[in-house]
Amino acid sequence: MCPFGTVTRLAQVSDLPHLLRDALVRADFTYDAVAELLGPRAHDALARNETTPALRRTAQAGGSPLATLVRLFLLQVPVEAGQAEAALPGLVDRMCVEGLLEQSVGEVAARLDVRPYATEHAGPAGVGGVVTEHLWVVSDLTPGLDGAPQRVGADHVLGISPASTSLAQLTRREPVGRALDLGTGCGVQALHLARHSDSVVATDVNARALRLTRFNAQLNDVAERVDVRDGSFFEPVAGDRFDLIATNPPFVISPATGERLVYRDSGLPGDRVVEDIVRTAPDHLAPGGWCQVLANWVISEDQPWDERLGAWLRDDVDALVVQREVLDPASYVELWLKDSGHHPSTGSATAAATADYRRRYDTWLSWMEEQRIEAVGFGWVNLHLREDRAATPARELLSWPYEVEQPIAPAISAWGAAARLEVDAGTRLVTRPDVQQETLGAPGAEDPETIVLRQQTGLRRARTADTVVAALVGACDGDLEGGQILDALAELLDLDPTATREDYLPVVRELVREGYLAPA
C-alpha cells in the first residue's frame, strides 16, 4: 500500500490514465449508466451521502463490472479481488502502487474516488443538436458517507461538488484562445475549459491537487492543452493574459486563525481573497476577456452589499454581480463547521468534541460580531474587460435569490453583449420570445392593477410595468423605431411626446440590458 500523498508517478507521463479510461469505457462507467443501474431512489439517496439503497441495487447486479466500480469508488466498500480484476483487467496492482487502490486478503478497496461526470455542449457546425460528453474525475474519497465522521486533512482534494457544478454552469462556453482555471482543485473547470479553449493554465497551491489535475487531464485526453502550475493565485501567471478566467477560490469568510483546509480557506481574513481577485483579475485579461468568480462576501452593518462590492470594481470593466443567497452569521458558521467535520454530528460525539465545537463556534461568531458582519452573501461576479477603455462601464449588482435557467452562462453572455449596445430613439427592437405578460386585477375590471413582464429563460427576471412600458414591449416587432413607438403611444394616451421620450428611452435601454428587448 502506498498513500497518495507520497506518490509521485501518478502525475507523471504514464499510460495508466489511458488504460484506466479504456477500462471505464468498457464497463460503461458513465453518469447515465450509473444513474440507470441505481434507479432514481438509490441515486438520490447517494446524492445525500446515503449508500444503503445503492448497495442493495448493486448487489442485485450479479457482480457486473459496472456494479463493481460503483461499489468500489462511489459507495466506498471493498470488493472481491476477482471482481476488481474483472472490472479493471491488468490494472489492480498498478493502481495499488499508484495509490488509487489498496489490497488486503482477497479484497480491494478504493483510496481515491473515480467518479463519472457528464457535460453537454452544442454539436459540430452543420450538425447541430446537443452532444453529451462523458468525463471522469479522480479526487479524494467523499467524506461523511452514511453519517460517518467526515474530518478531512488540510490538503484534502475536493471532488465534484455543488460549487464546482455551479461554476461550470456559470462559465461562458464560447471558443477562446487562452483560459485560466485559478485554484483548480482536482481540475473540473480545467476539463470544461479544455473543450473550448486552445490552451488552459490550471493553478493551485496544493501539491496533491496539482498531481490529480494532471492525472485527470490525461484521463480525459486533454493533457496537451492543460498546463498545470504550482503557486498562489496569480503568481504562477505573472505577465500572462487570458481570454477567460474561471475561479471558485477558497472563499470561506473566517478569522484566518492559521488552521485551514486549503480547498476552502485562503488564510486571508474576511472576504479579502475575493476582493483581491476582483481587483487584480483585469490585469490578467486580454481586451474583451472575462473573469467569472463563484464567491462569498461580507454584508456589513455599515454599508449596503452592492456599494461595498462596487468599490472593488475597476473603471475599465463591465460587471454583472448577482447575489444568490444570504446567510446570517450563526447559520454560516454552522454550515462550515459541519463541512469540516467539527460538529459532533459529523465528527466525534464525545464531550471533548462538543467542547471544541462550541469553542470554535464562539470564536468565529465573536470575530464576525467584532467585524460588524450582518450576513454573508453568496453569488457570482462576472467581469468583462472592455476593449474601449474610455467607455462608461456597464454595472449591475443584483440580488436575485430566485430560480434561474441552468446553465446560466448564455444569459451572462447576452448581458455582456447588451451592455455595449447603443440604444437610441432610432433603434428598431423586438421583444424576446420568452417574455410573457401577467396582469393582476379584480375580475371584470377595465384596467389591471398590476402588469408584470416575466422572462421564462436565463435569469428569469420579472419587473412591473406601467401602461406605456407594457404597450411598448407589446409593439416591438422590428417594424418601427423605438422613438416612433413612443410617439404613437404619447398620442394615444394623450401624453407630451417630448417628455415621453425623455422619460422612457432610459427605460428602453434597461429593457435591452435586462434581456426583455433585443435589436431587430
Side-chain angles (χ1 to χ4, degrees):
M1 293 184 291
C2 183
F4 180 70
T6 64
V7 170
T8 58
R9 282 184 291 173
L10 184 57
Q12 308 306 317
V13 175
S14 164
D15 62 348
L16 177 59
H18 301 102
L19 295 173
L20 176 58
R21 177 189 178 91
D22 290 344
L24 300 177
V25 170
R26 282 195 302 271
D28 197 20
F29 189 53
T30 63
Y31 180 89
D32 292 339
V34 170
E36 183 178 356
L37 171 67
L38 297 183
R41 292 181 182 176
H43 197 256
D44 290 346
L46 185 57
R48 301 190 300 270
N49 277 4
E50 296 292 341
T51 68
T52 301
L55 287 169
R56 291 169 57 87
R57 291 279 297 188
T58 52
Q60 299 166 6
S64 70
L66 175 59
T68 297
L69 294 176
V70 170
R71 292 173 73 87
L72 181 62
F73 292 118
L74 306 188
L75 308 185
Q76 297 180 22
V77 296
V79 301
E80 293 180 7
Q83 292 179 335
E85 187 62 41
L88 300 164
L91 296 180
V92 172
D93 287 341
R94 283 196 61 182
M95 292 176 69
C96 288
V97 170
E98 301 285 8
L100 285 97
L101 301 175
E102 64 180 5
Q103 293 189 76
S104 59
V105 179
E107 288 187 330
V108 175
R111 294 293 304 279
L112 292 174
D113 186 306
V114 180
R115 189 164 296 259
Y117 184 56
T119 179
E120 293 182 342
H121 56 81
V127 177
V130 176
V131 176
T132 298
E133 189 162 10
H134 295 292
L135 307 173
W136 295 271
V137 177
V138 180
S139 67
D140 277 327
L141 293 171
T142 301
L145 290 183
D146 300 317
Q150 60 181 51
R151 293 286 179 90
V152 297
D155 60 353
H156 179 81
V157 181
L158 194 66
I160 300 164
S161 67
S164 61
T165 301
S166 294
L167 181 58
Q169 293 171 325
L170 174 68
T171 304
R172 301 168 76 248
R173 296 301 173 199
E174 290 83 354
V176 296
R178 300 192 74 207
L180 171 63
D181 176 8
L182 188 71
T184 187
C186 66
V188 174
Q189 307 308 322
L191 297 180
H192 280 284
L193 292 169
R195 304 296 160 176
H196 61 100
S197 308
D198 294 337
S199 65
V200 179
V201 175
T203 69
D204 210 294
V205 295
N206 185 347
R208 298 183 69 253
L210 296 174
R211 290 198 293 272
L212 283 171
T213 296
R214 292 188 180 98
F215 189 86
N216 285 327
Q218 291 178 267
L219 181 62
N220 292 282
D221 285 338
V222 294
E224 72 281 359
R225 291 199 298 281
V226 179
D227 176 9
V228 181
R229 301 184 188 178
D230 180 15
S232 177
F233 298 109
F234 292 104
E235 290 176 2
V237 294
D240 290 351
R241 289 186 177 266
F242 300 90
D243 303 297
L244 178 60
I245 300 172
T247 180
N248 173 24
F251 55 57
V252 174
I253 294 170
S254 70
T257 55
E259 179 185 4
R260 66 187 183 115
L261 302 177
V262 175
Y263 74 88
R264 67 169 217 188
D265 301 311
S266 68
L268 298 175
D271 54 11
R272 267 282 308 281
V273 62
V274 177
E275 179 181 357
D276 288 354
I277 288 172
V278 170
R279 291 183 183 276
T280 307
D283 291 331
H284 297 275
L285 288 175
W290 285 78
C291 175
Q292 298 184 272
V293 189
L294 196 71
N296 279 186
W297 47 76
V298 166
I299 300 176
S300 170
E301 295 177 2
D302 307 318
Q303 188 180 24
W305 76 272
D306 51 348
E307 270 186 28
R308 188 166 180 278
L309 268 66
W312 300 350
L313 302 173
R314 290 183 12 175
D315 291 338
D316 55 354
V317 298
D318 297 333
L320 172 61
V321 182
V322 183
Q323 182 166 268
R324 296 286 293 146
E325 185 178 2
V326 174
L327 286 180
D328 65 83
S331 298
Y332 188 79
V333 173
E334 292 162 16
L335 170 69
W336 291 111
L337 285 176
K338 289 179 179 177
D339 173 80
S340 61
H342 286 106
H343 192 282
S345 68
T346 58
S348 175
T350 63
T354 300
D356 178 65
Y357 169 72
R358 289 174 176 165
R359 178 186 60 79
R360 291 173 183 274
Y361 196 152
D362 183 68
T363 299
W364 203 334
L365 207 56
S366 297
W367 175 81
M368 296 182 88
E369 290 173 356
E370 290 169 3
Q371 298 298 311
R372 301 182 64 80
I373 296 175
E374 182 178 89
V376 176
F378 171 85
W380 317 320
V381 180
N382 301 277
L383 308 175
H384 177 216
L385 184 65
R386 296 191 315 278
E387 297 187 51
D388 179 5
R389 303 292 184 90
T392 302
R395 297 284 164 77
E396 186 173 6
L397 290 92
L398 171 69
S399 183
W400 195 252
Y402 312 107
E403 184 180 357
V404 301
E405 181 187 35
Q406 293 291 6
I408 194 62
I412 306 301
S413 296
W415 181 92
R420 301 264 53 89
L421 287 174
E422 295 293 336
V423 177
D424 55 27
T427 306
R428 297 176 187 269
L429 299 167
V430 293
T431 303
R432 290 187 180 271
D434 68 305
V435 175
Q436 295 185 356
Q437 177 177 301
E438 300 174 0
T439 59
L440 178 66
E446 184 175 347
D447 296 313
E449 296 174 9
T450 305
I451 302 173
V452 177
L453 301 176
R454 191 179 302 277
Q455 300 170 353
Q456 307 303 305
T457 63
L459 283 169
R460 293 178 175 155
R461 299 186 197 238
R463 63 179 290 163
T464 57
D466 62 15
T467 303
V468 174
V469 171
L472 168 76
V473 172
C476 283
D477 59 6
D479 289 342
L480 297 175
E481 298 171 354
Q484 292 174 317
I485 295 174
L486 289 174
D487 291 344
L489 290 173
E491 181 178 352
L492 180 66
L493 299 172
D494 197 23
L495 302 173
D496 178 75
T498 302
T500 300
R501 284 196 177 209
E502 290 178 355
D503 291 343
Y504 284 97
L505 276 175
V507 178
V508 171
R509 296 186 185 102
E510 286 182 9
L511 291 167
V512 172
R513 187 194 67 201
E514 294 176 2
Y516 295 91
L517 301 175

